Amino acid sequence: LGVRSPLAAMATLRVKGKEKKGSGELDVKPTSLDQLDAELERVMELLNLPEDGRVPIRAKKPEEKLDFIQRSKFVKPDTMPAPALVGELTNKKTPGTLAGTLSTCRIHLNNLPISWLIEFRDCKGLDALLRILQSCYESPSPANDVIQFETVRCIAAFMNNHYGLNEVMESPTAMRMFARTLGSTNRKTVTHVLELMAAVCLVQPNGLQLALDAMASVAVSRGGGFRFNPLVRLLKASDKLTLQVAVVQLINAMVTSPEELDMRVHLRNECYAAGFHDMIRILRQADSDDLRIQLDVFEEEMADDWSELLHRFHEVQIDMQDPAECFSLAHMLVAETPSEPYLLSIMQHLLLIRDDHSVRPFYYQLIEECVSQIVLHRNGIDPDPRMRFQLQVDHLVDQMYNADKAKQTEAQLVEVQSTLTAERQAHSSAALQQQATFDAAIAERDTAARRTEDRIAALTAEIAALKESLAAAQTASAAGGPPAAGVPPPPPPP
C-alpha cells in the first residue's frame, strides 16, 4: 500500500503483552557465548534496531559484541528523565515553550533506547500527548496548529515499536483523537495522522475495527452519514498531492484489510456511496505517480473482489452501483425458492415507510445498519430463524431525527450568536461614535458659553465706565464749570 517509513516497519508488528517495568535495564554480565548472544539480542531489541541493522552486529567477534553491549549502557548526559519530561508536558505552558518540550520529547523517543520509551509509557506519557491533542482540537489557533503538529510527530515516534503501538491500540481514546484531528487546518498534521491510521489498520487483530469505529464517531459528530464521509471531504477540500495520497492510502488500508469478501465489498460500497467513486476520475488527472499507484491498488483489488463475487453469482454481470440491477440479481437468486416470499415481504414493508422526506432517510439508515450487522457477522454462525428481536423503531427514528434537528438547531444557534455578536459590536461602535459626537458638541457649546460670558463681562464693564463718565458730566454741568475731560460739551441753544 505504499506505507512509508517509519510506518512500513510499524505495520508489520504484532501487538505483544506489556513488558514489566525495568525490563530495559542493561545490567546482565554474560559469562558464556550463549549468554553473550542472548544479551546482544536483548540489547538490540531495547535499542529498537531494524533487522537489517542487526545482521552485521551478530557477525562481530565476541569481544566486539561485549563492547557494543557495554557502550549501550551509557545514556547521553543531556537526556531528560522520562518522568520529568512527562511532567513538563503536563504543566501548563506558553505555546512556544510547549513546542520546545514536544521537540525534545520527539528527539528522545526517536534516539534513546527502548528502556527510556518504556519508562515514558509507564509514566502515562501517551495520555499527556493525547490531552495536548484534545486541547488543540477544542481551541484551534495558529499557535495550537504548531503544537498539534509536534504532538502528532511525538506520537508517531512513540508508535514506531511494538511497545508504543500496543499502548496506542489499548488506549480507549487514541484512535478517536486521531480521527478528530483530521479536521485540522494544518494539512501536514492531517497527512501524518492519515499515515498513522493506515498503519494501525494493518495491525491484527483489531486495528481495522479501531480505525472504523473512530471514523464512525467523527461521522456521527458531524451530522451522521457514512464513515468515509470525512475522508472524501478531505479529498474535495484540498488539492495537496501528499494529503490526497495519504487519504487514498488509508482508504486502501481499510477496504483491503478484511479477510472476508463480504466485508471488503461492503466497505468499498460504503466508500463509493460517500462519493469516492466520483473523486477517482478527478484524482486521475493529477500529475503524481504516488497517487496513481494508490488508485491502481484500489481498482485492482476491487477487480479481484469483483471477479470472486461474479463467480459466486454464476458470472452474472451487474453494476453494483445501480439499484435496479442489484434488485434484479437479488430477486434472481431467490426466485422460485422458499426465500422469495421474504424478499417480497421486505420490499412491501419498505413501501410502508412514512412518506416524510425529513424522516425517511433515518428509516433507511436504521434498516441498512440492521442488515449489515445481520449479514456481515464474523462468528461463522448463521442466524437462528427462531430468534425474534423487537426494535423500538419509533424511539430510534425519533432519536435520530432529534439528533439531526439538534445539529441543525445548533448550527442555527451558532449563526444567530454570530449575528448577535456582530450587531452588538456594531451597536457598541455606533454608541461610542454617538457619545464622542455628543461630547464634542457639549465641549463646543461650553466654549461658546464661556466666550459669551466673557463678552457680557466686557460690555458690563464698559457700561459701568460710561455711567461714571455721564454722572461726572452731569455734576460739572450743574455747577457751571467746564465739562469733565472726556465728556462732550452740551449742544448750543436753538
Side-chain angles (χ1 to χ4, degrees):
L1 296 178
V3 181
R4 297 195 299 271
S5 179
L7 303 178
M10 183 173 65
T12 62
L13 296 174
R14 292 297 178 264
V15 178
K16 299 182 181 180
K18 288 187 176 181
E19 301 296 321
K20 294 182 180 180
K21 187 174 182 179
S23 60
E25 298 178 0
L26 302 173
D27 57 356
V28 176
K29 297 181 180 179
T31 58
S32 66
L33 289 178
D34 291 340
Q35 288 183 352
L36 178 64
D37 290 338
E39 178 64 9
L40 180 66
E41 292 295 330
R42 192 172 78 92
V43 168
M44 291 191 294
E45 175 68 16
L46 291 173
L47 294 177
N48 199 29
L49 295 181
E51 184 60 31
D52 56 351
R54 300 184 186 191
V55 174
I57 298 176
R58 294 190 184 109
K60 290 179 178 293
K61 298 178 180 179
E63 56 271 17
E64 292 176 338
K65 293 180 180 179
L66 183 60
D67 180 62
F68 176 82
I69 293 173
Q70 294 295 334
R71 283 188 290 106
S72 299
K73 294 180 181 180
F74 296 100
V75 180
K76 296 180 180 180
D78 57 347
T79 298
M80 182 181 295
L85 185 53
V86 173
E88 290 290 319
L89 294 173
T90 305
N91 295 334
K92 293 183 178 180
K93 293 185 173 185
T94 61
T97 306
L98 181 56
T101 303
L102 288 168
S103 178
T104 300
C105 178
R106 174 174 53 81
I107 293 172
H108 281 43
L109 290 170
N110 277 325
N111 298 300
L112 292 182
I114 290 295
S115 57
W116 190 94
L117 184 142
I118 292 174
E119 188 177 8
F120 179 83
R121 178 200 67 185
D122 294 340
C123 293
K124 305 298 181 184
L126 177 62
D127 291 343
L129 294 174
L130 293 177
R131 281 194 295 271
I132 296 174
L133 269 189
Q134 177 71 23
S135 176
C136 294
Y137 172 77
E138 294 174 348
S139 305
S141 69
N144 279 346
D145 284 347
V146 177
I147 299 299
Q148 191 179 53
F149 178 65
E150 288 295 334
T151 305
V152 170
R153 294 178 73 190
C154 284
I155 296 176
F158 179 74
M159 292 174 61
N160 198 26
N161 56 85
H162 66 262
Y163 302 103
L165 181 59
N166 181 57
E167 188 75 5
V168 170
M169 299 285 287
E170 292 183 357
S171 171
T173 59
M175 289 300 295
R176 293 190 179 188
M177 199 63 250
F178 290 170
R180 287 181 181 180
T181 308
L182 294 178
S184 172
T185 56
N186 189 329
R187 295 312 182 196
K188 288 185 178 180
T189 300
V190 175
T191 302
H192 271 69
V193 172
L194 290 167
E195 292 174 344
L196 290 178
M197 294 185 68
V200 171
C201 286
L202 304 179
V203 179
Q204 300 295 337
N206 62 334
L208 173 63
Q209 193 59 48
L210 288 173
L212 290 174
D213 290 345
M215 296 304 301
S217 68
V218 171
V220 170
S221 68
R222 298 182 182 179
F226 298 104
R227 291 170 289 194
F228 291 90
N229 279 349
L231 300 180
V232 175
R233 279 197 290 265
L234 280 175
L235 290 174
K236 292 180 178 179
S238 176
D239 57 355
K240 300 293 184 181
L241 290 176
T242 53
L243 186 142
Q244 292 176 340
V245 171
V247 170
V248 182
Q249 176 179 284
L250 176 56
I251 290 176
N252 280 335
M254 286 182 168
V255 301
T256 61
S257 293
E259 296 181 1
E260 304 86 352
L261 171 65
D262 293 346
M263 180 60 72
R264 296 197 300 272
V265 172
H266 170 72
L267 291 175
R268 195 173 287 111
N269 289 340
E270 183 179 338
C271 187
Y272 267 26
F276 184 64
H277 182 266
D278 298 330
M279 291 300 303
I280 291 180
R281 183 182 68 259
I282 299 174
L283 296 175
R284 282 289 184 189
Q285 299 174 2
D287 184 16
S288 170
D289 291 337
D290 291 338
L291 183 57
R292 194 174 300 111
I293 290 173
Q294 294 298 329
L295 293 173
D296 288 344
V297 169
F298 181 87
E299 293 183 338
E300 289 170 4
E301 292 289 336
M302 181 178 64
D304 292 342
D305 289 344
W306 183 239
S307 298
E308 187 175 347
L309 195 63
L310 287 180
H311 181 70
R312 178 188 298 180
F313 295 145
H314 309 291
E315 305 300 331
V316 177
Q317 297 285 342
I318 67 166
D319 181 3
M320 289 290 286
Q321 306 305 315
D322 188 329
E325 291 192 25
C326 288
F327 172 75
S328 297
L329 178 59
H331 181 241
M332 182 190 71
L333 292 174
V334 300
E336 299 181 0
T337 69
S339 302
E340 186 175 18
Y342 296 106
L343 176 61
L344 177 60
S345 176
I346 291 171
M347 302 304 298
Q348 291 169 340
H349 281 92
L350 292 179
L351 296 176
L352 300 179
I353 293 177
R354 284 168 53 185
D355 188 16
D356 185 341
H357 71 279
S358 62
V359 176
R360 185 186 293 124
F362 301 119
Y363 275 91
Y364 280 101
Q365 186 178 344
L366 182 60
I367 293 170
E368 191 272 341
E369 183 65 26
C370 291
V371 173
S372 297
Q373 293 189 26
I374 293 171
V375 175
L376 300 175
H377 55 84
R378 290 177 166 230
N379 55 12
I381 302 175
D382 290 328
D384 185 352
R386 298 168 298 177
M387 182 181 64
R388 297 286 178 175
F389 61 92
Q390 293 183 350
L391 293 177
Q392 297 180 352
V393 177
D394 290 339
H395 176 67
L396 291 174
V397 171
D398 287 343
Q399 271 189 332
M400 298 168 73
Y401 178 77
N402 291 336
D404 184 68
K405 281 294 183 184
K407 288 290 182 183
Q408 296 179 9
T409 303
E410 184 179 355
Q412 293 173 355
L413 178 60
V414 171
E415 183 178 357
V416 170
Q417 287 177 339
S418 177
T419 304
L420 180 60
T421 301
E423 290 181 353
R424 283 178 174 173
Q425 291 176 348
H427 176 74
S428 177
S429 178
L432 290 174
Q433 185 176 1
Q434 188 177 21
Q435 183 65 37
T437 303
F438 178 76
D439 292 342
I442 292 297
E444 185 177 353
R445 290 181 182 180
D446 290 343
T447 302
R450 284 193 297 271
R451 289 175 181 173
T452 303
E453 290 175 355
D454 293 342
R455 180 61 178 165
I456 291 173
L459 292 174
T460 301
E462 186 178 351
I463 291 172
L466 290 173
K467 285 181 177 180
E468 290 179 359
S469 299
L470 181 60
Q474 290 175 349
T475 303
S477 177
V487 178

